[in-house]
Amino acid sequence: MLEMTREEFEELVAEALDRIPPELTRLMDNVAVFVEDEPPSSDRELLGLYEGTPLTERGEWYAGVLPDRITVYRGPTLRFCATRADVVAETEVTVVHEIAHHFGIDDARLHALGYG
């Protein structure tokens, strides 16, 4: 397995977030991004997870709720990738994939766009 400290991985996630176009990040609302070492035991290969209410499903009832949560998992990403360059690319794909869920884009569309 490729070795990378948590701090290095967090920096890659931050860099991937920085590459999201500003016109999209301005539209993101009530969402926080986290890095965790491992996903839930029910899906040990999960690279990222979006938990929340997509922007497309929010209505006037949406107020006073906790932020949506995007989590990127370090362990599975490092096990999946062979090189640091692979980790950089996969982290960016994972961040874009989870942000797309925040915007209401489903897995089928993301796979069709190459973000599966």
Side-chain angles (χ1 to χ4, degrees), residues 73-91:
Y73 297 105
R74 183 176 71 99
T77 304
L78 296 179
R79 288 190 293 274
F80 180 75
C81 297
T83 67
R84 181 177 174 81
D86 292 343
V87 175
V88 170
E90 190 58 49
T91 300

Side-chain angles (χ1 to χ4, degrees), residues 6 9-10 13 17 31-36 67-73:
R6 171 120 180 203
F9 190 78
E10 287 174 348
V13 171
L17 287 166
V31 61
V33 179
F34 299 91
V35 170
E36 296 290 339
D68 291 4
R69 182 180 177 103
I70 291 173
T71 307
V72 182
Y73 297 105

Side-chain angles (χ1 to χ4, degrees), residues 14 19 30 65-66 81 102 107:
R19 286 190 289 278
N30 200 32
V65 298
L66 292 173
C81 297
H102 177 68
D107 280 328

Side-chain angles (χ1 to χ4, degrees), residues 35-53:
V35 170
E36 296 290 339
D37 288 329
E38 295 294 335
S41 59
S42 59
D43 193 352
R44 301 304 289 170
E45 296 179 7
L46 190 64
L47 303 181
L49 180 65
Y50 169 76
E51 299 170 285
T53 304

Side-chain angles (χ1 to χ4, degrees), residues 12-13 15-21 24 28 33 48 50 70 72 88-107 110 113-116:
L12 292 181
V13 171
E15 290 169 3
L17 287 166
D18 288 344
R19 286 190 289 278
I20 302 295
L24 290 180
M28 293 174 64
V33 179
Y50 169 76
I70 291 173
V72 182
V88 170
E90 190 58 49
T91 300
E92 187 164 328
V93 167
T94 300
V95 167
V96 169
H97 182 107
E98 302 311 330
I99 288 173
H101 285 320
H102 177 68
F103 284 101
I105 301 171
D106 65 16
D107 280 328
L110 285 168
L113 293 171
Y115 288 97

